[in-house]
Amino acid sequence: MIVKLLGTGDSTGTPVINCHCKTCEDARRRGWERKRFSVLVKNNGKVILIDTSPDLRRQLLDNKIERVDAVIWTHCHFDHFGGFGEFYRVQDDVVVYTTPQIHEDIEKYMRFLEYKPVEVEEYKPFKIAGIEFTLFKVNHPPVEAVGVMMTWNGYKVVISGDTNREIPSRSLAEIMNPDLFIVEALAPSGKFRKHMNAKEALELSKVINAKKVVLTHLGHFFPPHSIASKLYPVGYDYQEFSFKEVKLDEFFRN
Ligand SMILES: [Zn+2]
Ligand SMILES: [Zn+2]
Ligand SMILES: [Zn+2]
């Protein structure tokens, strides 16, 4: 199983259009960026996308993905589903898994795009490509939002989705002891109604006893990547984690 971060940016991405802060200028000068959020999961020759980033076309071309077998949406914000339009005239049988409420929220924007909706309930596992997925409730007011847990060959990978620190206790119980925790952190510090900062994300990682942590959904509030990566376990676009059939302690390369 391979898990790859296709986009580690927040809703605007980095650099932000018309922003000339130190981080955005560094990104332009050195040619790095943070695309909008999507996670690619590959197993048994199948491709699953967690969220469809507005940068999806570039992400699929760069990673030579020619067909997507399933999509899972975490919530109805543009930076998480907007790229679904990239399937237009490319692939017309995309199967999308999410909760009934999130389907309803996103369907409003999908009038001329066809897809196959599959409704799944929080905390009820379902299988795609030999991986067991479970959606769990998070807290991202005012919309309904879920995180995604994957188990495969004894490994557990948890993706927080967009959330503040007030994650329901049932969810915390479900996501304990992950091998890899991909967790959102909008900024190094500061209080946000819908999101966590890096301090909160790292504290949460300790609470759930995560073996390896990678921060994602990062805004331009972080220092330039070369500096941020020395201070925090920040992810980067196209960072890949590969899991071997036989569970090893050092499972990943990145
Ligand atoms: Zn977001
Ligand atoms: Zn900026
Ligand atoms: Zn959001």
Side-chain angles (χ1 to χ4, degrees):
M1 177 176 74
I2 284 176
V3 175
K4 192 167 188 173
L5 310 180
L6 293 185
T8 55
D10 64 343
S11 56
T12 58
T14 299
V16 180
I17 294 168
N18 199 29
C19 180
H20 300 282
C21 75
K22 206 173 146 214
T23 298
C24 291
E25 285 299 339
D26 183 86
R28 285 188 192 95
R29 199 173 58 247
R30 298 195 192 196
W32 62 275
E33 70 173 333
R34 295 195 185 283
K35 296 178 194 63
R36 270 70 63 80
F37 186 91
S38 237
V39 179
L40 171 75
V41 182
K42 266 184 171 175
N43 195 38
N44 295 343
K46 303 271 187 197
V47 171
I48 300 143
L49 281 181
I50 319 284
D51 286 336
T52 48
S53 160
D55 297 307
L56 199 62
R57 178 176 178 277
R58 187 75 265 152
Q59 292 162 330
L60 296 184
L61 286 170
D62 286 351
N63 290 284
K64 299 182 175 56
I65 304 296
E66 303 192 329
R67 203 196 132 74
V68 170
D69 296 285
V71 165
I72 299 172
W73 279 326
T74 62
H75 66 296
C76 67
H77 283 154
F78 176 78
D79 54 319
H80 295 260
F81 79 86
F84 197 84
E86 299 294 350
F87 289 115
Y88 183 64
R89 288 174 58 196
V90 172
Q91 191 184 327
D92 60 9
D93 57 347
V94 189
V95 184
V96 185
Y97 295 72
T98 193
T99 68
Q101 181 63 53
I102 297 170
H103 271 306
E104 198 185 313
D105 293 343
I106 296 179
E107 265 166 13
K108 291 175 200 144
Y109 302 93
M110 290 291 160
R111 268 186 237 148
F112 46 88
L113 283 173
E114 284 184 18
Y115 66 99
K116 294 182 179 169
V118 180
E119 296 191 344
V120 285
E121 299 292 333
E122 289 105 341
Y123 311 113
K124 287 205 177 130
F126 55 97
K127 265 203 167 169
I128 313 173
I131 303 168
E132 189 178 273
F133 290 86
T134 309
L135 307 185
F136 59 92
K137 268 190 200 298
V138 291
N139 199 341
H140 191 49
V143 301
E144 178 169 295
V146 294
V148 180
M149 176 167 85
M150 299 183 267
T151 56
W152 178 79
N153 270 6
Y155 294 109
K156 182 164 170 176
V157 177
V158 173
I159 302 171
S160 73
D162 280 12
T163 183
N164 63 30
R165 178 62 185 82
E166 307 309 311
I167 297 174
S169 51
R170 176 163 182 194
S171 294
L172 292 179
E174 293 265 348
I175 65 176
M176 284 299 290
N177 305 316
D179 295 283
L180 174 62
F181 186 31
I182 299 169
V183 55
E184 80 119 287
L186 184 66
S189 57
K191 192 72 195 158
F192 304 95
R193 193 167 70 97
K194 300 182 196 185
H195 296 281
M196 286 189 283
N197 62 39
K199 208 174 148 217
E200 290 169 317
L202 293 174
E203 179 265 335
L204 172 62
S205 309
K206 282 214 173 76
V207 168
I208 66 165
N209 194 32
K211 260 192 213 151
K212 161 116 182 147
V213 183
V214 57
L215 303 182
T216 189
H217 206 278
L218 308 159
H220 62 151
F221 317 105
F222 280 91
H225 183 68
S226 56
I227 299 168
S229 60
K230 294 193 177 87
L231 304 172
Y232 309 96
V234 286
Y236 53 89
D237 288 15
Y238 304 160
Q239 184 173 10
E240 185 176 292
F241 304 90
S242 76
F243 299 80
K244 306 272 175 286
E245 292 283 337
V246 178
K247 188 166 178 177
L248 304 169
D249 277 345
E250 275 299 307
F251 64 88
F252 45 80
R253 64 183 158 85
N254 55 50

